[in-house]
Amino acid sequence: MTAYWSIADTVRNIVSGEITATVLVETMLDRIGKLDDKLGAYLTIDKAGALGQAAAIDQKRKAGQPLGALVGVPISLKDNLVTKDLVTTAASKILDGWVPPYDATVVAKLRAAGAIILGKTNMDEFGMGSSTERSAYQPTKNPWDTARVPGGSSGGSAVAVAAGMCVGSLGTDTGGSIRQPAAFCGTVGLKPTYGRVSRWGVIAFASSLDQVGPITRTVADAAALLQVICGHDPRDATSLDTPVPSFREALGGDVKGLRIGIPAEYFGGDIDPQIRAAIERAVAALVERGADTVDINLPHTELALPAYYLVAPAEASSNLSRYDGIRYGKRVDATDLLEMYSKTRGAGFGPEVKRRIMLGTYALRSGYYDAYYRKAQQIRALIKKDFDKAFRFCDVVLTPTTPTAAFEIGAKATPFEMYLADIFTLSCNLAGLPGISVPCGLTDNNLPVGVQLLGKPLDEATLLRAGQVIESAVGLGDRRPPGAAS
Amino acid sequence: MALERKEVEEIALLARLHLEPDELERMQSELGAILEHFGALAQVDTTDVAPMTHAVPKDMQLRADEPQPSLSASEALAAAPKREGDLFVVPAIISGEP
């Protein structure tokens, strides 16, 4: 069934002529038309653009020209990735209708590889949230249970992938925004090592934490997308000039002798018993195939949340100062400049974004900087040291991705309750490590559970290899979400 | 940690963020509640711990000082809320009697 083709299937079928890119894109657009009114994954569907890209690919194939690694693969992009001539809003009213004049580096790389962009996916405004409820435009429903959230902030991408409304997607992850929705929707989500993937053209939230990565249905698909988007970009000063290995070669390998670190701090009393059971099955699957478990400690884990919620809002308050009503985006007219700035921003930002700007401004304010921002950065150093030490005894760290399965829409009453949804994913960003969430079964309520693997810097390959072993042993296989039945 | 209303107003001014009275009130209680959870940080001894400012240790490099292709003026101005020719228009910055 075309809707659930893998990247490898899609490329093979396009190259062999089994299907034309045009027919494939028409089929996907048709499916989106049938499903997305109910699910709300897409903010913008680029019908004309996608069909144009498909026609160009069909032409190229006919002419016998070389085809890219992702030729004809229909993908979606989180709406904070800037796309030339295609509306990009970061799900914020302050960017309502904004048409960027350029492509983000990751977008240009995907286009060059022959991927077809179907549209832009919903998210929490500027990436600030864990449920996609904080989009200024629409809620997105979890296809496994439409009364529940898909997670966030890359919720639209996770739903589009889970429901077969694209083959793969790119999200961004500042504190868990790829891995947490991937877990809630039964998809694979990978946050690369900080610096692995260019941030040029990614609408900035917290620059020392943001990273772009794939959300896909399989580990092999994640490897295929990652392969294309990685690499040094001189336009991003934090981009690493490091060779990119072949991630495909990492797949299919065994895990014999792989040391799996199990951190006591992630297995406390707060985890849902069904999550715990599913994670234990994932561990058992690795052990059965020759991996060894090692008990480790990450003693500063509980400080990750307060450190993150100072560092990220502080950087956000600075990054979001660019929305001033002058060069692009919304503007509320006023008689003087100060009033124009503050009226524009007051009208353009949603409640969670305002909260984070306020929190960040508070933490950076003169007289408070040492007590909050600098202190949080010191804690960040301690968290990184915990991992450095742990990786002397293990090769990957294994944890649940989330303490619970997807929660109900409207369930998190206070901002802080929502912040707790990311409790297991924040440390990875603070330490700059790569992390992956892989499905490892369903709860009794038929909700997906994700297991998280964290790796040494630049060691995405080991995450993919171990992730694939988990996938084949306890993954979802051909089980599809009921909300994706058209 | 309780925040004074005046403090919230000051932060909003620093952030160039207009908040309606009901938003100010909500912000006061919500920020106070969030800051409560940050108390744990103060308990940690961080003497001699160098702050970690970036995830990957990397020296800032300067690129070669050579012109590169960039957006044309019309592309750069295409999304401006208000423009006149090749200029962004902003409210008067200097006011008062001549």
Side-chain angles (χ1 to χ4, degrees):
Chain A
M1 183 181 165
T2 40
Y4 292 112
W5 277 356
S6 69
I7 288 178
D9 289 342
T10 310
V11 170
R12 193 181 323 110
N13 290 331
I14 294 280
V15 170
S16 71
E18 179 74 26
I19 193 170
T20 63
T22 303
V23 169
L24 179 58
V25 166
E26 280 169 350
T27 312
M28 294 303 272
L29 289 170
D30 186 51
R31 185 173 169 86
I32 294 169
K34 282 191 187 124
L35 286 177
D36 208 39
D37 279 351
K38 183 175 67 182
L39 296 173
Y42 281 91
L43 284 176
T44 305
I45 296 160
D46 187 18
K47 203 172 172 172
L51 287 169
Q53 291 171 69
I57 283 168
D58 290 335
Q59 201 65 45
K60 252 181 147 174
R61 186 183 166 275
K62 241 185 181 166
Q65 289 168 11
L67 304 172
L70 298 176
V71 66
V73 177
I75 55 154
S76 61
L77 300 169
K78 188 178 184 180
D79 204 31
N80 60 351
L81 302 173
V82 159
T83 42
K84 186 173 165 59
D85 300 330
L86 180 60
V87 172
T88 301
T89 66
S92 180
K93 291 287 181 195
I94 210 157
L95 282 175
D96 198 24
W98 180 51
V99 180
Y102 69 105
D103 273 333
T105 296
V106 290
V107 176
K109 280 174 178 271
L110 287 173
R111 283 194 206 274
I116 297 174
I117 296 161
L118 296 172
K120 307 295 290 287
T121 54
N122 198 23
M123 55 186 285
D124 292 292
E125 185 177 354
F126 286 109
M128 299 176 189
S130 312
S131 68
T132 314
E133 290 169 287
R134 309 283 188 243
S135 165
Y137 295 94
Q138 66 196 31
T140 297
K141 314 278 176 61
N142 191 316
W144 291 90
D145 176 352
T146 51
R148 292 175 189 269
V149 303
S153 65
S154 312
S157 287
V159 171
V161 170
M165 296 192 287
C166 60
V167 173
S169 191
L170 290 190
T172 60
D173 191 317
T174 305
S177 282
I178 287 175
R179 293 159 286 151
Q180 186 255 21
F184 278 10
C185 293
T187 57
V188 175
L190 189 148
K191 184 204 90 79
T193 307
Y194 184 85
R196 210 23 141 180
V197 178
S198 168
R199 291 183 297 109
W200 197 74
V202 180
I203 295 180
F205 163 10
S207 303
S208 77
L209 304 166
D210 296 342
Q211 199 58 194
V212 182
I215 296 181
T216 54
R217 287 188 289 269
T218 66
V219 173
D221 283 358
L225 283 188
L226 184 66
Q227 195 76 58
V228 170
I229 61 172
C230 276
H232 180 239
D233 180 7
R235 284 164 155 163
D236 172 0
T238 59
S239 164
L240 293 171
D241 195 357
T242 314
V244 179
S246 164
F247 295 118
R248 194 215 297 250
E249 278 171 26
L251 299 172
D254 67 31
V255 290
K256 205 158 275 172
L258 191 73
R259 297 169 303 166
I260 314 287
I262 310 286
E265 292 81 1
Y266 285 72
F267 290 87
D270 297 341
I271 310 173
D272 181 299
Q274 291 198 34
I275 300 274
R276 186 189 297 269
I279 300 301
E280 282 167 2
R281 285 193 292 272
V283 174
L286 289 167
V287 170
E288 202 171 297
R289 281 154 191 81
D292 300 311
T293 59
V294 187
D295 290 329
I296 57 163
N297 281 102
L298 298 166
H300 295 94
T301 296
E302 66 174 1
L303 297 171
L305 187 104
Y308 176 87
Y309 278 98
L310 286 167
V311 171
E315 294 183 12
S317 72
S318 168
N319 273 326
L320 270 59
S321 66
R322 73 191 62 182
Y323 303 103
D324 58 5
I326 293 178
R327 289 152 303 157
Y328 51 90
K330 188 186 182 68
R331 169 153 170 182
V332 175
D333 281 313
T335 47
D336 68 67
L337 197 61
L338 178 60
E339 198 190 351
M340 192 275 280
Y341 288 150
S342 62
K343 285 265 168 77
T344 294
R345 293 160 60 77
F349 292 134
E352 182 60 31
V353 175
K354 288 180 183 173
R355 215 150 29 229
R356 304 237 187 151
I357 289 174
M358 290 290 285
L359 197 55
T361 308
Y362 179 87
L364 290 175
R365 199 161 48 137
S366 112
Y368 290 72
Y369 182 91
D370 281 354
Y372 286 105
Y373 187 60
R374 191 182 145 85
K375 187 83 185 182
Q377 287 184 316
Q378 289 174 312
I379 303 289
R380 190 176 175 184
L382 295 175
I383 288 168
K384 171 81 164 73
K385 264 198 195 120
D386 282 355
F387 279 102
D388 290 345
K389 191 177 162 203
F391 283 128
R392 297 212 300 264
F393 305 100
C394 66
D395 305 305
V396 291
V397 172
L398 184 148
T399 80
T401 308
T402 57
T404 66
F407 45 88
E408 285 176 1
I409 293 168
K412 305 289 180 193
T414 68
F416 197 77
E417 270 183 68
M418 187 68 85
Y419 298 171
L420 287 170
D422 288 335
I423 188 131
F424 294 154
T425 48
L426 300 170
S427 293
C428 170
N429 300 76
L430 289 169
L433 305 173
I436 192 171
S437 177
V438 179
C440 63
L442 299 172
T443 65
D444 293 347
N445 285 342
N446 223 24
L447 296 172
V449 180
V451 58
Q452 174 176 245
L453 300 171
L454 305 174
K456 296 174 187 171
L458 300 173
D459 195 15
E460 288 84 2
T462 300
L463 301 184
L464 291 164
R465 182 157 54 94
Q468 206 182 33
V469 167
I470 293 173
E471 176 180 64
S472 64
V474 294
L476 301 183
D478 285 337
R479 279 169 291 180
R480 306 296 177 196
S486 51
Chain B
M1 197 178 121
L3 280 180
E4 300 289 330
R5 166 79 167 228
K6 201 171 147 285
E7 227 177 340
V8 179
E9 287 170 353
E10 280 168 13
I11 302 163
L13 177 65
L14 286 171
R16 303 290 184 262
L17 189 61
H18 174 82
L19 297 175
E20 298 294 337
D22 63 314
E23 287 183 296
L24 277 169
E25 199 170 305
R26 213 170 40 232
M27 202 66 83
Q28 188 180 349
S29 71
E30 284 173 351
L31 288 185
I34 293 167
L35 290 170
E36 292 262 350
H37 295 279
F38 296 166
L41 294 182
Q43 315 300 319
V44 185
D45 182 8
T46 50
T47 322
D48 299 331
V49 178
M52 178 172 167
T53 53
H54 247 277
V56 172
K58 191 186 173 199
D59 291 333
M60 269 301 181
Q61 311 140 340
L62 295 176
R63 65 170 165 77
D65 189 15
E66 290 159 5
Q68 300 283 331
S70 60
L71 297 179
S72 66
S74 68
E75 284 172 313
L77 282 148
K82 225 174 217 181
R83 63 183 281 196
E84 243 178 67
D86 276 354
L87 304 170
F88 295 105
V89 175
V90 298
I93 292 167
I94 300 164
S95 60
E97 299 296 312

